[in-house]
Amino acid sequence: MPPRTDTQSPAPHVADSHDLIRVQGARENNLKDVSIEIPKRRLTVFTGVSGSGKSSLVFGTIAAESQRMINETYSTFVQGFMPTLARPEVDLLEGLTTAIIVDQERMGANSRSTVGTATDANAMLRIVFSRLGEPSAGPSFHYSFNTPAGACPRCEGMGSVTDVDLTQLYDDSKSLAEGALTIPGYSVDGWYGRIFSGCGFFDPDKPIRKFTEAELHDLLHKEPTKIKVDGINLTYEGLVPKIQKSMLSKDRDALQPHIRAFVDRAVTFTACPECDGSRLNEAARSSRIKGVNIADACAMQISDLAEWVHGLDEVSVAPLLATLQQTLDSFVEIGLGYLSLDRPSGTLSGGEAQRTKMIRHLGSSLTDVTYVFDEPTTGLHPHDIQRMNDLLLRLRDKGNTVLVVEHKPEAIAIADHVVDLGPGAGTAGGTVCYEGTLEGLRASGTLTGRHLDDRAALKETVRTPKGTLEIRGATAHNLRDVDVDIPLGVLCVVTGVAGSGKSSLVHGSIPAGAGVVSIGQGAIRGSRRSNPATYTGLLDPIRKAFAKANGVKPALFSANSEGACPNCNGAGVIYTDLAMMAGVATVCEECDGKRFQASVLDHHLGGRDISEVLAMSVTEAEEFFGAGEARTPAAHAILNRLADVGLGYLSLGQPLTTLSGGERQRLKLATHMAEKGGVYVLDEPTTGLHLADVEQLLGLLDRLVESGKSVIVIEHHQAVMAHADWIIDLGPGAGHDGGRIVFEGTPADLVAARSTLTGEHLAAYVGT
């Protein structure tokens, strides 16, 4: 008798068979026909040296194609407002889900954006105050400084008012005709000069100090008035409102350098006297819950605010309070409890910005999404990495695919699946060296596998300081009246959990003029025409060498000068500005992206033309300019420094806008190494470095110290701590729980004492 069929388990549903993201033939950037399968609803970590192709595969291929396909689902009308994304160089991509990129891009520096507005915390808090605040200011938007209903009328919700130093606007001993105005762009023969001279409200030939009160008022403060100058209808307004609109309403960093310098000289920003910097109007400020108004709540450290919200027990808004509580608890869990909701989002570091974005997604009810993270452990103390790992696993356990580009062994340890790219960087990378489990990676013999269990030993002997840099009574941000002597002539590491006050101590308290060269990860000022060759000054000796070999002018070998392709003006791409839409870049057909006129490419040096030289990697160029007919000692010296800081894989012509924070910092370091500064301050130089490259960085730091420099490094990487001559540990916690020196001494003493979080983690790391 056949068995009964109704007890058999049902056949697997065909819809459940799509459990993999399949990539076939990926060729973005340096990828060499990569084909891999990534398990869905699992945590996959991508490893490999800097420049091995991790970002090209994860961001440039998988995430880029997912975003492009989602854009195509919108109506043609909506697509018209979106950037046109090119299809990545790949043969086949299957099983993609919606990709959400959580990167380390700094958050917009818009002065109206704060930690609270960038997450949902402010919106929820406003509803809580509109329901429970006494007396109520009205609906929730009456508690927002970004709406006219809630903003302070004096400062329009900005929290600060500007005070203009009139002596910087004009020289009162001169008349307008003699060029009294000293504002950039307001020269006598310029357009503004003509308007002010011809408006008829004052005599242009009379020195300003002889103006009547009414004339001076018209010059400085007159409200917009229609006038006619040289037969043209115009609107005249006083200097102060004109400067407010044209210069002060813009983001300071977006201004041209000479205008920024003028604004810094002429304008002081002071807390608004009416709202005391809280940005809110009287009604919103006087509405309180248990004696606390919304401005006080936003100014609290988030860990304290979480406790305060916990104490609000009101049935009418119970679900909302629970969600708000969860969001605030996430901040604390992720190690950002030291921030406050009113902190401007533009002041967050890359790591802090990434973790703030992560909080937005933790509360999301979306599942079956692909989350893509770029080094989420950046800026985290080993103690905080454990919390970050827990959050990544929580995202995975909600049913999401989590892809992480990472170098830290503690973060690689939680992977369900590992993809190791390499074997080298740039053209020597771009292949999959290993994919599988973590145990398999250890046994695989790849560069990552071999270094995974590397542990730097403590130094046998430490250097003796040659002097000290004294800091006394430092109170920047959360520092508690700190006195510390930073030893000079040695490698000094400043460490502590995120938010403990390291940057405040090093960047905010070291006396100016101590010969300090500070090298951070901030953006490098420069246009999309800037590249490593132009930034480091390498292009000059190269141009001269080409000019000498060919008997022509050096200017021909600059894509920003005479040698530029006339079609794209030497940019290599044609930018189409679509007004309110995002611009589109297409490769120039005339020069095929090479940036130079065809005639320039007929000139050779060592058998290569200038565009071929700019396409070389630092390592190739080092060889090329080191010997033979192309030998150029000045270029070779700069290339040596770039290779020294681990940038051997960068191509000379790669736009600076495409570099990561760690790469930017190492490029600055290579440039500053030739300077005379005596004290070097580095902010987390291991960011973006593979375990194998950390050794090279330590060698570089040693060479700097041996050449007579003092090196101060803010760092969390235990290999750097173990290698230090002296450690200054801040803590014990973050925010108002930090700001004190909890240890200063040698790494060996720190490990022996185990009296701090850092000491415990370092002891575990060196295996004592």
Side-chain angles (χ1 to χ4, degrees):
M1 195 175 148
R4 284 181 56 190
T5 51
D6 58 354
T7 58
Q8 289 179 345
S9 58
H13 197 294
V14 69
D16 295 331
S17 63
H18 304 280
D19 279 342
L20 296 169
I21 295 175
R22 286 192 186 82
V23 181
Q24 272 178 23
R27 293 178 300 280
E28 272 297 303
N29 298 329
N30 66 335
L31 296 178
K32 295 175 181 154
D33 243 358
V34 166
S35 297
I36 55 163
E37 294 187 336
I38 301 165
K40 283 191 188 171
R41 294 176 285 284
R42 296 290 180 273
L43 193 148
T44 301
V45 174
F46 293 78
T47 58
V49 295
S50 307
S52 59
K54 305 181 297 295
S55 297
S56 302
L57 178 60
V58 179
F59 294 95
T61 306
I62 298 170
E65 180 62 356
S66 166
Q67 293 205 305
R68 189 183 75 88
M69 294 177 90
I70 286 166
N71 285 3
E72 286 187 353
T73 63
Y74 295 112
S75 69
T76 320
F77 174 74
V78 173
Q79 283 186 51
F81 293 92
M82 294 175 157
T84 311
L85 302 172
R87 188 176 185 280
E89 282 278 318
V90 62
D91 294 337
L92 178 73
L93 277 171
E94 269 184 356
L96 287 180
T97 66
T98 305
I100 293 176
I101 297 174
V102 190
D103 58 16
Q104 292 189 24
E105 276 295 304
R106 297 286 175 101
M107 291 167 111
N110 183 323
S111 46
R112 292 192 172 276
S113 172
T114 63
V115 168
T117 61
T119 55
D120 287 336
N122 254 39
M124 291 189 275
L125 204 55
R126 292 204 312 265
I127 299 171
V128 171
F129 269 88
S130 69
R131 301 285 173 81
L132 307 181
E134 290 288 329
S136 175
S140 67
F141 62 86
H142 284 94
Y143 291 89
S144 167
F145 51 79
N146 287 334
T147 61
C152 161
R154 168 83 194 270
C155 64
E156 296 180 345
M158 297 299 277
S160 64
V161 287
T162 50
D163 208 3
V164 179
D165 177 359
L166 302 180
T167 62
Q168 297 292 339
L169 305 188
Y170 54 78
D171 175 350
D172 70 355
S173 66
K174 293 180 178 171
S175 68
L176 290 170
E178 290 168 334
L181 299 183
T182 53
I183 306 163
Y186 283 68
S187 64
V188 188
D189 43 6
W191 186 232
Y192 285 140
R194 278 168 62 195
I195 292 174
F196 278 87
S197 301
C199 64
F201 297 126
F202 27 70
D203 180 353
D205 297 311
K206 182 160 78 170
I208 292 180
R209 64 168 56 145
K210 297 203 170 146
F211 275 19
T212 64
E213 207 169 303
E215 285 174 325
L216 196 58
H217 175 270
D218 285 351
L219 173 68
L220 294 174
H221 302 291
K222 193 168 185 70
E223 57 286 345
T225 311
K226 300 232 177 307
I227 59 164
K228 215 171 202 173
V229 176
D230 300 341
I232 302 167
N233 290 325
L234 297 165
T235 300
Y236 171 90
E237 77 184 309
L239 285 175
V240 173
K242 201 157 195 62
I243 291 171
Q244 294 268 7
K245 284 176 191 158
S246 65
M247 299 179 190
L248 304 187
S249 60
K250 295 196 174 92
D251 178 25
R252 181 185 169 280
D253 289 336
L255 299 172
Q256 291 170 291
H258 68 289
I259 294 180
R260 194 181 318 121
F262 164 74
V263 169
D264 290 346
R265 278 199 315 273
V267 181
T268 51
F269 293 87
T270 49
C272 169
E274 194 157 312
C275 66
D276 205 17
S278 71
R279 302 171 164 225
L280 294 162
N281 62 22
E282 176 61 32
R285 292 199 309 275
S286 51
S287 174
R288 295 175 183 272
I289 302 174
K290 295 187 174 177
V292 172
N293 69 19
I294 192 164
D296 301 333
C298 290
M300 281 184 199
Q301 187 166 308
I302 290 175
S303 53
D304 296 343
L305 179 62
E307 272 180 47
W308 182 77
V309 170
H310 204 59
L312 300 179
D313 191 15
E314 185 61 48
V315 184
S316 62
V317 284
L320 179 67
L321 284 173
T323 316
L324 176 59
Q325 184 72 50
Q326 221 173 344
T327 303
L328 297 174
D329 287 346
S330 297
F331 270 105
V332 178
E333 265 179 66
I334 209 165
L336 291 180
Y338 59 89
L339 296 177
S340 58
L341 294 183
D342 62 6
R343 168 91 174 254
S345 54
T347 64
L348 300 180
S349 70
E352 287 170 335
Q354 187 181 30
R355 299 199 289 283
T356 302
K357 292 175 199 168
M358 197 173 172
I359 286 166
R360 274 210 302 251
H361 299 304
L362 275 172
S364 160
S365 41
L366 289 172
T367 65
D368 260 331
V369 173
T370 300
Y371 283 102
V372 187
F373 288 91
D374 186 10
E375 276 198 80
T377 58
T378 297
L380 286 183
H381 186 271
H383 170 70
D384 298 318
I385 290 179
Q386 188 55 53
R387 295 169 167 183
M388 172 58 83
N389 283 349
D390 292 344
L391 289 170
L392 291 171
L393 293 170
R394 254 172 63 191
L395 276 176
R396 176 201 67 185
D397 294 346
K398 275 173 65 176
N400 297 307
T401 307
V402 181
L403 309 181
V404 183
V405 172
E406 195 43 272
H407 293 290
K408 294 258 173 78
E410 305 97 311
I412 299 171
I414 60 165
D416 299 311
H417 188 73
V418 180
V419 177
D420 189 29
L421 285 131
T427 50
T431 58
V432 173
C433 298
Y434 170 82
E435 52 178 320
T437 62
L438 184 67
E439 286 64 43
L441 176 66
R442 276 204 172 85
S444 67
T446 66
L447 195 60
T448 309
R450 289 202 307 275
H451 286 276
L452 204 54
D453 294 317
D454 275 7
R455 294 294 180 263
L458 293 172
K459 283 206 293 208
E460 303 270 312
T461 56
V462 292
R463 299 179 183 94
T464 313
K466 295 193 174 68
T468 55
L469 195 61
E470 292 186 0
I471 293 178
R472 293 290 176 267
T475 52
H477 298 303
N478 64 334
L479 294 178
R480 307 277 183 103
D481 207 11
V482 168
D483 293 343
V484 66
D485 291 339
I486 297 179
L488 295 176
V490 299
L491 175 58
C492 174
V493 170
V494 178
T495 186
V497 295
S500 58
K502 303 180 297 299
S503 297
S504 306
L505 180 70
V506 175
H507 296 304
S509 311
I510 286 184
V516 176
V517 177
S518 184
I519 305 164
Q521 294 187 21
I524 290 173
R525 288 204 187 285
S527 67
R528 40 195 173 201
R529 290 172 173 273
S530 309
N531 54 43
T534 59
Y535 181 75
T536 57
L538 174 64
L539 197 57
D540 286 342
I542 292 179
R543 283 198 315 230
K544 284 176 187 152
F546 263 96
K548 194 173 168 192
N550 294 284
V552 291
K553 289 193 297 189
L556 277 180
F557 302 100
S558 166
N560 298 332
S561 184
E562 290 182 32
C565 159
N567 189 40
C568 61
N569 291 328
V573 288
I574 306 279
Y575 290 99
T576 312
D577 184 14
L578 301 176
M580 80 296 260
M581 304 178 231
V584 177
T586 48
V587 174
C588 169
E589 290 172 6
E590 186 101 356
C591 65
D592 200 19
K594 290 183 177 172
R595 305 178 61 191
F596 292 90
Q597 291 174 27
S599 59
V600 174
L601 302 182
D602 293 338
H603 299 301
H604 290 80
L605 174 69
R608 303 285 186 97
D609 67 41
I610 183 75
S611 74
E612 288 172 325
V613 168
L614 289 175
M616 286 180 182
S617 70
V618 167
T619 316
E620 289 171 74
E622 201 178 3
E623 203 175 306
F624 180 73
F625 288 109
E629 67 166 293
R631 187 172 175 275
T632 313
H636 195 251
I638 297 173
L639 289 160
N640 260 338
R641 290 202 292 272
L642 286 168
D644 249 0
V645 295
L647 293 178
Y649 60 91
L650 276 192
S651 76
L652 305 186
Q654 183 175 337
L656 292 189
T657 45
T658 62
L659 300 188
S660 68
E663 286 169 338
R664 287 196 294 258
Q665 185 179 23
R666 295 197 289 285
L667 184 62
K668 289 179 198 170
L669 176 59
T671 311
H672 287 305
M673 272 164 64
E675 287 183 11
K676 295 284 176 278
V679 182
Y680 280 61
V681 174
L682 301 179
D683 201 340
E684 287 193 67
T686 58
T687 300
L689 277 188
H690 185 265
L691 298 156
D693 297 327
V694 171
E695 288 172 32
Q696 189 181 356
L697 178 79
L698 293 175
L700 173 69
L701 296 177
D702 275 343
R703 285 201 298 284
L704 281 173
V705 174
E706 274 140 32
S707 71
K709 312 277 188 204
S710 301
V711 181
I712 302 167
V713 184
I714 297 176
E715 193 50 90
H716 296 290
H717 201 295
Q718 288 113 316
V720 182
M721 291 181 207
H723 201 74
D725 297 306
W726 193 257
I727 286 188
I728 296 172
D729 190 12
L730 281 113
H736 60 48
D737 299 325
R740 299 184 184 86
I741 304 260
V742 288
F743 175 86
E744 44 185 326
T746 64
D749 292 344
L750 177 63
V751 166
R754 295 190 193 204
S755 56
T756 69
L757 277 172
T758 309
E760 284 171 32
H761 283 279
L762 188 57
Y765 177 83
V766 296
T768 56

